[in-house]
Amino acid sequence: MLQDQGKTEELFSVGSPAVIHINPGERDERRYSTVVRGWLLNSYVLLDRPLAEDDDTDFSKPQRCLVRFVSEGKACGFPSALLKGNSASPYLRVSWPRKIECIGIRKHERVEVQVPCVIAREEHSDVKGEVMDLSAGGCGVWVEDRIAPDTPVKLSFDLPDASRVSDAHACVRSVRPCGKGFLLGCMFDQEEEARTVCDFFVSATIERMRGGGLQKRALLLESQDVRSDGTRMKLEEKGYRVITVTGVLDAFFSLRMASPNCFWIGAEQAELSAFDICRIIRETKGFEKLPIFVIGGSDMGLAEELKEVDAVYVASIEIVDKVLD
C-alpha cells in the first residue's frame, strides 16, 4: 500500500531504528544502520550519521538513497536523496518522501529460508550454521554442535533479497535436536537494528505468498512522457498484477518491495538508457535470472545490445502475447 502524503509523518517515530541504502540498485550500493531523530514536515527526515569508518562514503554529498524502517507493525520504505550537509554533524538529512510503501507484519508468521550463517560467542571461536526460518523478531539457526539456551550470540548472514545482517545481537531461547545437529531458536535484542532488515524481508515474502501474492506480478517502468496503458492491459490480460512506476529510483525500490515475476521497461528513458538499467539489474544480487523485457522505441540496434544482458526486446504491444506464451 502507498501511504497518503498528508499522513506520512504519522509513520515516523523518534528513536526508531532504520536502514539507509546509498546508491540503491547499483553495484556500489551500501547499507547502513541508523536511527530516526526527527523531521521537518515536507522538507526532510533527520537520521543519525552511520559509522562508516571502514569505507569512503561521504554522507555530506547529495546522492540517491533508500530508507527502510518499521512502524507499528508495518515494514516501510521510501526512495529519497541525501541532502548536502556538514561532514562534522552527527546527523544527516534525507529529502521528504513523495510516498512511503508499507507492508503489514504479523509478529508470529515465519518464512522458510536456507542461507549460511556465522554465529559468534564470547570466548568461543565462530561457528558456521544455517538460518532455516525467519520471523519478525528472530530466526531458527541449524548448527552441528549444541549451544545452550540463554546464550548471547551475534549472527551474520545474507538474505535472498541481498540484504545483509551483520553481528546482530540475539539470544538463544530454545534448542532441539534436528537431523545430525540442533536447531536454535534465536531472538534478536529489542533494540537490534537487524529487526528492520528481517521484518522487511519477512513481510515482503509473506505479501507475495498471500491471496494477492499468488497472482503473478509484473513491474512496468514507463517510457519518458509516455503512458504504457496498452502494455499494462496486455499484461493484465495474461493474468499479471501490474505495478507501474515512472522513475528509475522507484523501479529499483519496487523490485525489492514487490519481487515481481518479470520486469518491463519502456525503451525511451530519460535518467538512464534502457540498456544501462538492464545491466545494473543483472549485476545486482538476487536479480540475475529475472526476466527483463524492453518494449517500444526506434533503435534498431537495441535488440542486439540487450542480448548482452540477457534481456528481450519487444518491438510492439502486438507481440507481447507471443513473448509470454
Side-chain angles (χ1 to χ4, degrees):
M1 60 170 284
L2 298 182
Q3 182 73 15
D4 181 86
Q5 182 158 343
K7 299 180 181 179
T8 294
E9 69 276 12
E10 296 179 6
L11 293 173
F12 294 121
S13 177
V14 175
S16 62
V19 175
I20 184 169
H21 302 237
I22 304 299
N23 293 326
E26 300 185 12
R27 294 187 67 181
D28 60 346
E29 176 181 348
R30 295 173 180 177
R31 299 175 176 84
Y32 304 96
S33 296
T34 182
V35 175
V36 177
R37 290 304 179 193
W39 57 88
L40 180 60
L41 186 63
N42 296 325
S43 182
Y44 62 81
V45 179
L46 191 68
L47 306 172
D48 276 354
R49 179 180 295 272
L51 297 176
E53 298 174 353
D54 55 347
D55 65 43
D56 57 357
T57 300
D58 183 0
F59 293 107
S60 62
K61 181 180 69 175
Q63 51 195 309
R64 295 188 307 109
C65 66
L66 171 69
V67 179
R68 306 194 303 180
F69 61 100
V70 176
S71 174
E72 297 182 352
K74 297 184 290 289
C76 306
F78 61 92
S80 185
L82 270 175
L83 302 178
K84 185 177 181 180
N86 183 344
S87 60
S89 172
Y91 306 109
L92 55 85
R93 297 179 301 153
V94 299
S95 59
W96 188 259
R98 292 189 297 109
K99 61 184 179 183
I100 296 182
E101 192 158 349
C102 304
I103 298 176
I105 302 168
R106 295 182 182 178
K107 291 184 178 180
H108 302 295
E109 287 187 295
R110 291 179 174 269
V111 296
E112 293 184 0
V113 294
Q114 196 168 1
V115 295
C117 176
V118 175
I119 303 100
R121 295 171 291 168
E122 288 188 3
E123 300 180 359
H124 289 80
S125 299
D126 293 355
V127 297
K128 294 182 178 180
E130 193 168 40
V131 178
M132 305 299 292
D133 61 66
L134 199 67
S135 70
C139 57
V141 181
W142 184 89
V143 292
E144 287 188 351
D145 299 319
R146 186 178 185 273
I147 296 179
D150 299 323
T151 300
V153 295
K154 292 182 181 179
L155 305 176
S156 299
F157 53 90
D158 292 307
L159 290 170
D161 69 350
S163 297
R164 172 72 177 165
V165 172
S166 182
D167 288 333
H169 292 264
C171 184
V172 177
R173 294 302 187 191
S174 63
V175 182
R176 63 178 176 84
C178 180
K180 295 182 180 180
F182 299 86
L183 186 64
L184 312 177
C186 300
M187 179 180 292
F188 295 124
D189 289 0
Q190 193 64 35
E191 300 302 320
E192 174 54 54
E193 290 90 344
R195 282 178 173 264
T196 301
V197 176
C198 294
D199 284 348
F200 192 89
F201 173 78
V202 170
S203 56
T205 302
I206 290 173
E207 175 71 8
R208 289 200 311 272
M209 296 169 61
R210 287 181 186 155
L214 297 177
Q215 184 180 14
K216 295 179 294 184
R217 298 185 185 205
L219 180 63
L220 173 61
L221 173 57
E222 293 185 330
S223 295
Q224 179 186 12
D225 300 325
V226 178
R227 290 186 59 84
S228 303
D229 293 340
T231 306
R232 178 178 54 78
M233 291 175 63
K234 277 288 186 182
L235 291 170
E236 290 176 345
E237 288 174 6
K238 302 296 289 186
Y240 286 87
R241 175 190 168 196
V242 182
I243 303 162
T244 303
V245 294
T246 57
V248 174
L249 185 57
D250 282 348
F252 289 138
F253 173 62
S254 295
L255 279 170
R256 293 288 186 205
M257 283 290 294
S259 296
N261 301 92
C262 56
F263 183 30
W264 288 73
I265 305 170
E268 304 292 338
Q269 295 292 325
E271 300 168 274
L272 288 172
S273 69
F275 175 81
D276 284 336
I277 295 171
C278 295
R279 176 183 55 78
I280 291 171
I281 293 169
R282 281 288 176 254
E283 294 174 348
T284 301
K285 186 176 180 181
F287 299 115
E288 298 90 342
K289 301 297 182 180
L290 176 70
I292 303 175
F293 304 91
V294 176
I295 186 167
S298 56
D299 184 354
M300 302 307 296
L302 182 58
E304 288 300 315
E305 289 183 353
L306 291 174
K307 291 179 180 179
E308 299 178 21
V309 290
D310 193 24
V312 176
Y313 178 67
V314 181
S316 65
I317 295 172
E318 286 69 28
I319 62 174
V320 170
D321 287 334
K322 295 180 181 179
V323 171
L324 292 177
D325 284 339

